[in-house]
Amino acid sequence: LAHIDHNGAFSRVGTLTNPNGIADAIDSESVVLAVVIPPDFADQLARGESAPLEVITDGRNTSVAGQATGYVSRIVSSWNAARTGGAGVSVVSRTWFNPNQTTRWTFLPGLIGMISFVQVIMLAGLSIAKEREQGTFDQLLVTPMSPAEILIGKSLPPMIIGLVQSMVLFCICRYWFDIPFRGSMGTLILTVIVFMLSSTGIGLSISSVSRNMQQVLVYVFVTMLPLVLLSGMATPVANMPQVLQVMTCADPMRFALASIRRIYLEGAGIGDIAMNYVPMLAVAAVTMPLAGWLFRHRAM
């Protein structure tokens, strides 16, 4: 502790008597780093054994946390070297599923879901509104089809286009950027289809309440931007404020991107990501009937 206090890089905020207070201190952002010294630390050293030392950092700022951990590592190494005359302890970090910490390995698989989502919600949103604006909506109503059948016909083309676009993006990630694919293609396609279903429901709901394509564009951008920002595409959900973390539970893109990344990089199976299907199917179960009700309501 004396070495850390006099290092110059740290300022001791407080001394806790119970490790249970560390979580509150870090969550409140009053500390960046906490050092936990076990009760038997001195006894283990006296017996000539290795004594563990736990360092807990605030990972919300990875740059500062990395620098703080590096300072502590050097302090421990120099202390060990002065005490034993040896090189001391060396810290070796290993990153799972992305050993070289290549940014595109994490970012590009997420584009498989995000870009197709933008395409699907836009096409589904313009489908019914375009019929109204071009004057063919009344002709569509006199056909011997129910509103549900018309909605099914309007939902299939965006889903097919979104699925094809997702596969094109997958090929770009796999063969152009040479990002290794470790999962099952069937699991990936199933995940994309479930996600497209929820995205189409959102788009059709927007299209049912819009009277023209200009209104659709406004509704789509107002809806799409928060969903993309809260999806964890650029900022991990765990690093968001607690209120926003709760709001992401209603964002199907959050669970789709998490599933696609796990399938692509980790080789996750259906059993590993099954719980991510529940929110996406829940959104589809709400938006699809809502779109049907709005379609009948606006049509009459």
Side-chain angles (χ1 to χ4, degrees), residues 165-229:
Q165 191 175 40
S166 297
M167 294 301 100
V168 172
L169 292 170
F170 168 80
C171 293
I172 293 174
C173 294
R174 177 64 187 89
Y175 299 106
W176 189 345
F177 291 97
D178 199 24
I179 303 175
F181 178 65
R182 296 188 174 92
S184 168
M185 182 60 68
T187 305
L188 179 63
I189 293 176
L190 176 62
T191 303
V192 172
I193 290 175
V194 174
F195 178 48
M196 294 298 101
L197 186 64
S198 62
S199 304
T200 303
I202 297 174
L204 290 177
S205 298
I206 293 174
S207 185
S208 298
V209 300
S210 303
R211 296 188 177 277
N212 51 58
M213 290 189 288
Q214 285 76 17
Q215 290 186 6
V216 170
L217 293 178
V218 174
Y219 286 139
V220 165
F221 281 111
V222 170
T223 304
M224 182 177 60
L225 290 178
L227 294 180
V228 173
L229 292 175

Side-chain angles (χ1 to χ4, degrees), residues 28-299:
S28 63
E29 299 185 8
S30 60
V31 301
V32 175
L33 178 142
V35 179
V36 181
I37 301 176
D40 58 347
F41 182 80
D43 294 337
Q44 288 181 314
L45 290 178
R47 294 194 298 265
E49 301 175 357
S50 297
L53 185 71
E54 184 177 12
V55 178
I56 302 174
T57 58
D58 186 352
R60 284 171 291 194
N61 191 329
T62 56
S63 178
V64 175
Q67 291 179 6
T69 305
Y71 283 134
V72 174
S73 298
R74 285 195 290 270
I75 292 171
V76 172
S77 298
S78 62
W79 187 81
N80 276 323
R83 179 177 177 274
T84 63
V89 178
S90 60
V91 178
V92 178
S93 300
R94 178 179 298 171
T95 303
W96 286 3
F97 312 118
N98 189 0
N100 295 326
Q101 298 184 358
T102 307
T103 304
R104 65 174 180 267
W105 281 33
T106 304
F107 185 76
L108 289 178
L111 291 179
I112 296 175
M114 191 197 74
I115 294 182
S116 58
F117 167 78
V118 175
Q119 183 74 28
V120 169
I121 193 174
M122 185 70 71
L123 292 176
L126 293 173
S127 59
I128 299 176
K130 185 177 181 180
E131 297 278 359
R132 286 197 181 98
E133 189 168 328
Q134 293 183 345
T136 58
F137 187 69
D138 294 335
Q139 299 177 9
L140 190 64
L141 293 178
V142 299
T143 58
M145 292 186 297
S146 64
E149 292 173 337
I150 295 176
L151 283 177
I152 292 174
K154 292 294 184 182
S155 62
L156 287 178
M159 291 182 63
I160 294 174
I161 293 174
L163 182 61
V164 172
Q165 191 175 40
S166 297
M167 294 301 100
V168 172
L169 292 170
F170 168 80
C171 293
I172 293 174
C173 294
R174 177 64 187 89
Y175 299 106
W176 189 345
F177 291 97
D178 199 24
I179 303 175
F181 178 65
R182 296 188 174 92
S184 168
M185 182 60 68
T187 305
L188 179 63
I189 293 176
L190 176 62
T191 303
V192 172
I193 290 175
V194 174
F195 178 48
M196 294 298 101
L197 186 64
S198 62
S199 304
T200 303
I202 297 174
L204 290 177
S205 298
I206 293 174
S207 185
S208 298
V209 300
S210 303
R211 296 188 177 277
N212 51 58
M213 290 189 288
Q214 285 76 17
Q215 290 186 6
V216 170
L217 293 178
V218 174
Y219 286 139
V220 165
F221 281 111
V222 170
T223 304
M224 182 177 60
L225 290 178
L227 294 180
V228 173
L229 292 175
L230 296 176
S231 66
M233 181 68 189
T235 302
V237 176
N239 291 352
M240 297 180 184
Q242 190 64 35
V243 176
L244 296 182
Q245 292 187 33
V246 175
M247 294 174 61
T248 60
C249 295
D251 186 357
M253 193 187 302
R254 168 194 171 179
F255 303 96
L257 296 188
S259 300
I260 291 173
R261 283 170 172 167
R262 292 197 62 191
I263 294 170
Y264 197 108
L265 298 175
E266 302 177 21
I270 294 180
D272 299 319
I273 60 173
M275 294 305 298
N276 287 340
Y277 290 162
V278 176
M280 291 188 286
L281 292 175
V283 171
V286 172
T287 55
M288 283 296 189
L290 177 63
W293 183 87
L294 291 172
F295 180 76
R296 291 192 299 269
H297 180 72
R298 304 280 291 192

